[in-house]
Amino acid sequence: MDNYKGLKIEDVYKQKNKFNEIYLVGDLIFWKETLKIIGKKNNAIFVRPIKKSQLSAQNLTGNNFLIKSSFHGYGGRSYKCIKYNDYLYIVWIDQISGSIWSQKFQITQSQNNTYDFPYLITNEEPRQLSKTFKGNFDASFELINEKVLVGILEINNNDYLYSVDINKTKQDINILKRFNNFAGSLSSNLGGNFLSWIEWDSPFMPWENNNLFIAKISNRGEIKNIKELHKSIINNCEIISFFQPYWLSTKILVCSEDSSGWWNLIFFEINQLDNIVIKKRISKKFFEYGLPQWVSGISLFSGVKENFFCLARHKDSWVLEYYRNLSFVKRIDLPFNNLSDLHSDNNKLIFKASNNRSEEQLVEMEIDHFYEVSIQKKLIKVPDKVSISETFWFKGFDERKTHAWIYRCKLFNSQKPPLIVKAHSGPTSYFNGELNPEVQFWTSRGWIVAEVNYGGSCCFGKEYRDRLNGKWGIVDSEDCKALARSLIKNELVDISKIVISGNSAGGFTALNSLCGDQLFKAAICKYPVLDLNEMHFNTHRFEKNYLNSLIGNFNTNKDKYFQRSPINKIEQISQPVLLFHGKQDSVIDYNITLEFNKRLLRNNIYSEIHLYEDEGHGLKNVKNKLHYLRSTESFLNKLFFKN
């Protein structure tokens, strides 16, 4: 193809300093980082002062832990920082010992904005709080009266509220409550006498319908009384999803709820359990102050009543808002339109941010200096070689307005470019249009790339999110095809060179898009969902519940589980397929992908499969990622550019 190669393949997966699971306490930023220990997956929690990226980081937890959560299968945050008076407790989940650990630190004060290393000091070794336990801990820990640690635990397909003594070691956990099914988002008020959490049960997922509970607790961490918030005080709708209950003071609880069709803010005043009133509601169309709770610990809200900050998705962008005493003050303008993981303390904020010219980076700033960003990283430094994402709306399944991001290529001839359509995983996820080096790799080689936010994707309101209910494998695939046809109609792409790709659930969407249709000329799939029956019987309880929403109850919809599975529709596929899978995948058995490949070959359909000995559900090793990219380029060149 007569075009430049603006991005070398070796530059696509450059090592980047990822700030995982960030926290902010006073002037200190905390994060989790993988340690470079040969043959081990150990990691540690680090700390350094805010806006002092030139200073050394302090390893707080040493080299002997694998700090990770497996709560509800997908995990989420694996540690928490809890400030109590002049002390800081760090509590974490260790997969090596199968237990929770804690260590108490004293915060050293900076002098004239100078910091002495170490930033935190301690007189004690890390403390193993619980015995080794066969269960999954959540990291939404709460410390009551500097004595009792309260948390949520998953045991044998059920969730429990429990407590342990913060000053004891290797103790049995004390079960406080058995939940009916799922629970999460545990938090306590600043006075420590109220706990709040959300619960949900089949057939719903937490972003479809859940219930908000508040409990009165004693100084010893005992549950005295529990109150379920009656949804009737919000409106007459019983199907409401609450997101991130967060205490702003001893009496004010904020969260978002979607009874309006959008996750909007609501502030509750709670004096007693029998006196819960709505203090204020923020009602805005096209604003989403919430996300699907696939993992625990998502943080869009932070601060106190006098200084409250929140993130919201507004149409195609994320925005940062500032409230004082529950009243909106201003929207803080930033040079980024994708924001996440917000944390604040007094007048300081940290969060992750990106846009269509920069990859995700850590932003650190103060309330008086909104535009000061102390860490900036750009993988691609030459602006004219970057393909900028463009929002694109089209008519999808049932003629519904559907969203996608389009990345145009740069060609030096008059040919219409080929097209790669990408289906995201999840499937209740979304593409945000941020700079993606993989996308830039293809656009620099003459391809247009289109990322589809098919029906069921989040951040476009409840109606959009619910489009996939009962119709997974139909709405998503039809939306992908509708986008391709729309681009063809606009004469933007070469109709003979259109490919679809997807990972995991996106692979399921991609392969269903091939069935009985010649629009896509090939599919590229990493660790795809191929057999819904197998998935139902072997996946964890959280994802099994999700299948109830996406397909229907298994016992009454077995025919749909069979008919929607790509492995049962081999006869409908006539296009080449490229497959990748890790042999350590605990979510989807690679042997099913092997069998799928064999059946395609038996039907004389060209298919390649590449297996990785050291990979699980997702490619982590840079060497394997490069192999994937080279293999994909070779595959596409073989199909479309033989000369």
Side-chain angles (χ1 to χ4, degrees):
M1 298 182 67
D2 184 16
N3 63 291
Y4 67 84
K5 294 190 176 183
L7 182 60
K8 295 180 180 178
I9 194 168
E10 295 80 10
D11 292 335
V12 175
Y13 303 113
K14 280 186 174 178
Q15 293 287 352
K16 297 177 285 293
N17 185 15
K18 289 285 187 180
F19 285 81
N20 296 314
E21 299 186 36
I22 57 174
Y23 272 105
L24 178 65
V25 178
D27 292 336
L28 299 175
I29 298 175
F30 299 80
W31 71 93
K32 189 177 75 174
E33 189 174 311
T34 300
L35 300 173
K36 296 179 181 179
I37 302 176
I38 297 175
K40 294 185 178 182
K41 297 180 180 180
N42 298 39
N43 53 25
I45 298 166
F46 289 82
V47 64
R48 69 155 169 83
I50 190 171
K51 299 179 73 174
K52 299 290 181 181
S53 58
Q54 75 280 8
L55 296 182
S56 299
Q58 179 185 352
N59 182 337
L60 296 173
T61 52
N63 304 330
N64 299 317
F65 299 102
L66 176 55
I67 303 171
K68 180 183 177 182
S69 171
S70 299
F71 188 63
H72 291 165
Y74 284 98
R77 288 195 173 273
S78 55
Y79 77 97
K80 187 171 183 178
C81 299
I82 305 173
K83 186 179 180 182
Y84 211 105
N85 296 324
D86 294 329
Y87 292 95
L88 182 76
Y89 291 83
I90 299 180
V91 187
W92 64 91
I93 304 164
D94 175 45
Q95 295 292 342
I96 295 175
S97 63
S99 60
I100 51 175
W101 290 67
S102 175
Q103 192 165 11
K104 182 180 179 181
F105 296 89
Q106 187 170 3
I107 301 174
T108 57
Q109 300 296 320
S110 65
Q111 300 295 327
N112 299 320
N113 206 30
T114 61
Y115 298 84
D116 293 328
F117 189 93
Y119 316 115
L120 295 176
I121 57 176
T122 183
N123 295 320
E124 64 176 41
E125 294 296 316
R127 186 191 304 272
Q128 183 179 341
L129 296 180
S130 68
K131 293 179 179 178
T132 297
F133 206 83
K134 290 186 178 179
N136 296 320
F137 293 96
D138 184 28
S140 58
F141 306 109
E142 294 296 335
L143 185 59
I144 309 300
N145 201 30
E146 207 169 4
K147 294 179 180 178
V148 180
L149 188 76
V150 179
I152 295 177
L153 171 69
E154 179 183 27
I155 316 171
N156 296 328
N157 295 327
N158 217 94
D159 291 352
Y160 298 84
L161 186 71
Y162 72 92
S163 68
V164 292
D165 190 321
I166 194 70
N167 296 308
K168 293 183 179 180
T169 59
K170 297 184 179 180
Q171 60 196 292
D172 290 317
I173 64 171
N174 176 35
I175 298 296
L176 300 175
K177 174 180 171 57
R178 183 183 190 273
F179 298 108
N180 290 333
N181 200 339
F182 291 95
S185 298
L186 182 69
S187 60
S188 69
N189 67 337
L190 302 184
N193 60 340
F194 284 126
L195 281 178
S196 61
W197 62 81
I198 60 170
E199 296 184 38
W200 66 98
D201 203 349
S202 299
F204 298 107
M205 298 302 287
W207 53 84
E208 295 175 322
N209 185 40
N210 60 39
N211 297 292
L212 176 60
F213 289 83
I214 298 98
K216 182 80 171 180
I217 56 174
S218 70
N219 289 337
R220 293 178 293 181
E222 299 166 334
I223 300 293
K224 299 173 70 174
N225 196 8
I226 298 175
K227 177 83 170 182
E228 179 182 354
L229 179 79
H230 291 296
K231 294 178 178 177
S232 59
I233 73 170
I234 298 175
N235 64 17
N236 294 323
C237 178
E238 286 298 315
I239 308 298
I240 296 175
S241 171
F242 297 97
F243 174 82
Q244 198 188 345
Y246 181 88
W247 292 88
L248 296 176
S249 68
T250 57
K251 297 180 180 180
I252 300 297
L253 177 71
V254 65
C255 63
S256 60
E257 55 84 20
D258 66 352
S259 62
S260 67
W262 304 88
W263 267 311
N264 278 181
L265 292 178
I266 186 167
F267 299 89
F268 296 103
E269 184 175 54
I270 304 171
N271 292 297
Q272 298 294 333
L273 289 186
D274 58 356
N275 185 22
I276 301 175
V277 298
I278 296 174
K279 188 72 173 176
K280 191 166 189 175
R281 299 179 74 169
I282 307 295
S283 182
K284 297 180 182 179
K285 279 188 176 182
F286 308 109
F287 277 79
E288 289 270 67
Y289 297 82
L291 286 169
Q293 300 95 310
W294 273 98
V295 297
S296 64
I298 301 172
S299 180
L300 300 186
F301 312 146
S302 190
V304 294
K305 181 183 175 184
E306 293 75 20
N307 276 315
F308 172 56
F309 301 91
C310 62
L311 302 180
R313 177 80 173 188
H314 177 47
K315 296 184 178 179
D316 295 338
S317 300
W318 283 90
V319 296
L320 173 62
E321 293 184 342
Y322 175 37
Y323 291 75
R324 288 186 67 86
N325 297 314
L326 315 189
S327 295
F328 176 77
V329 176
K330 66 182 298 184
R331 171 172 155 177
I332 300 172
D333 292 324
L334 296 164
F336 305 97
N337 55 11
N338 292 307
L339 310 173
S340 64
D341 215 359
L342 173 68
H343 300 269
S344 71
D345 194 322
N346 198 9
N347 67 332
K348 298 177 177 63
L349 293 87
I350 61 171
F351 49 88
K352 295 179 181 179
S354 65
N355 58 29
N356 56 13
R357 291 181 179 272
S358 67
E359 294 184 73
E360 186 179 79
Q361 56 194 259
L362 178 65
V363 176
E364 310 164 41
M365 66 187 204
E366 297 182 47
I367 186 74
D368 298 325
H369 304 285
F370 290 132
Y371 298 102
E372 290 193 13
V373 179
S374 55
I375 297 179
Q376 292 194 10
K377 301 174 293 181
K378 291 185 179 180
L379 180 59
I380 300 174
K381 297 181 179 180
V382 184
D384 63 357
K385 290 188 178 180
V386 173
S387 178
I388 303 300
S389 59
E390 304 171 30
T391 194
F392 186 87
W393 290 91
F394 63 98
K395 288 184 178 180
F397 183 76
D398 277 351
E399 298 293 298
R400 290 176 171 178
K401 193 176 179 183
T402 307
H403 181 265
W405 293 104
I406 305 299
Y407 300 80
R408 298 178 188 267
C409 64
K410 297 182 178 181
L411 285 171
F412 294 135
N413 55 39
S414 59
Q415 296 176 2
K416 291 180 182 177
L419 169 67
I420 297 175
V421 172
K422 295 180 64 180
H424 62 67
S425 57
T428 308
S429 183
Y430 72 109
F431 287 116
N432 62 16
E434 70 181 358
L435 182 68
N436 182 338
E438 267 194 26
V439 169
Q440 300 302 318
F441 175 82
W442 294 113
T443 57
S444 72
R445 279 153 174 75
W447 292 81
I448 281 185
V449 177
E451 298 175 329
V452 191
N453 283 318
Y454 50 77
S457 303
C458 64
C459 296
F460 299 96
K462 182 176 175 60
E463 182 276 330
Y464 200 107
R465 205 167 64 238
D466 288 347
R467 291 182 192 178
L468 209 58
N469 288 354
K471 295 181 179 179
W472 188 33
I474 299 174
V475 170
D476 47 329
S477 296
E478 290 300 322
D479 280 350
C480 289
K481 290 188 279 188
L483 171 61
R485 292 191 177 104
S486 179
L487 294 175
I488 292 169
K489 184 178 180 181
N490 285 292
E491 299 185 345
L492 294 175
V493 299
D494 184 342
I495 192 173
S496 69
K497 298 179 179 67
I498 299 178
V499 176
I500 188 167
S501 71
N503 311 335
S504 192
F508 173 86
T509 298
L511 292 169
N512 273 315
S513 299
L514 295 188
C515 295
D517 198 308
Q518 300 298 311
L519 176 63
F520 295 109
K521 308 309 176 186
I524 303 159
C525 302
K526 290 189 282 190
Y527 38 91
V529 173
L530 295 169
D531 189 338
L532 296 177
N533 279 13
E534 191 275 342
M535 190 176 183
H536 168 79
F537 285 111
N538 294 297
T539 193
H540 49 77
R541 64 192 262 258
F542 183 89
E543 195 157 78
K544 185 177 294 189
N545 214 36
Y546 193 25
L547 289 175
N548 289 332
S549 297
L550 293 173
I551 307 296
N553 178 274
F554 179 77
N555 293 326
T556 55
N557 292 277
K558 291 182 180 179
D559 56 335
K560 292 181 181 178
Y561 279 71
F562 182 88
Q563 293 164 6
R564 305 262 184 94
S565 299
I567 199 163
N568 300 321
K569 298 193 283 186
I570 297 287
E571 301 299 327
Q572 299 179 40
I573 298 176
S574 59
Q575 304 94 316
V577 176
L578 178 61
L579 300 163
F580 301 87
H581 214 132
K583 286 190 172 183
Q584 305 301 317
D585 193 337
S586 60
V587 179
I588 300 171
D589 188 349
Y590 78 92
N591 286 297
I592 299 174
T593 306
L594 266 175
E595 177 62 24
F596 185 76
N597 177 64
K598 289 177 182 177
R599 292 190 192 180
L600 288 172
L601 293 174
R602 282 201 297 266
N603 280 8
N604 294 317
I605 304 302
Y606 181 72
S607 177
E608 292 181 18
I609 186 168
H610 299 274
L611 301 176
Y612 302 101
E613 296 286 344
D614 57 343
E615 296 285 10
H617 195 66
L619 302 186
K620 307 294 185 184
N621 189 302
V622 172
K623 179 181 177 182
N624 295 334
K625 289 182 178 181
L626 290 172
H627 175 268
Y628 152 74
L629 211 53
R630 289 191 179 100
S631 300
T632 302
E633 185 174 31
S634 175
F635 174 81
L636 294 176
N637 286 340
K638 191 182 302 181
L639 290 181
F640 301 122
F641 312 113
K642 296 178 181 178
N643 296 326

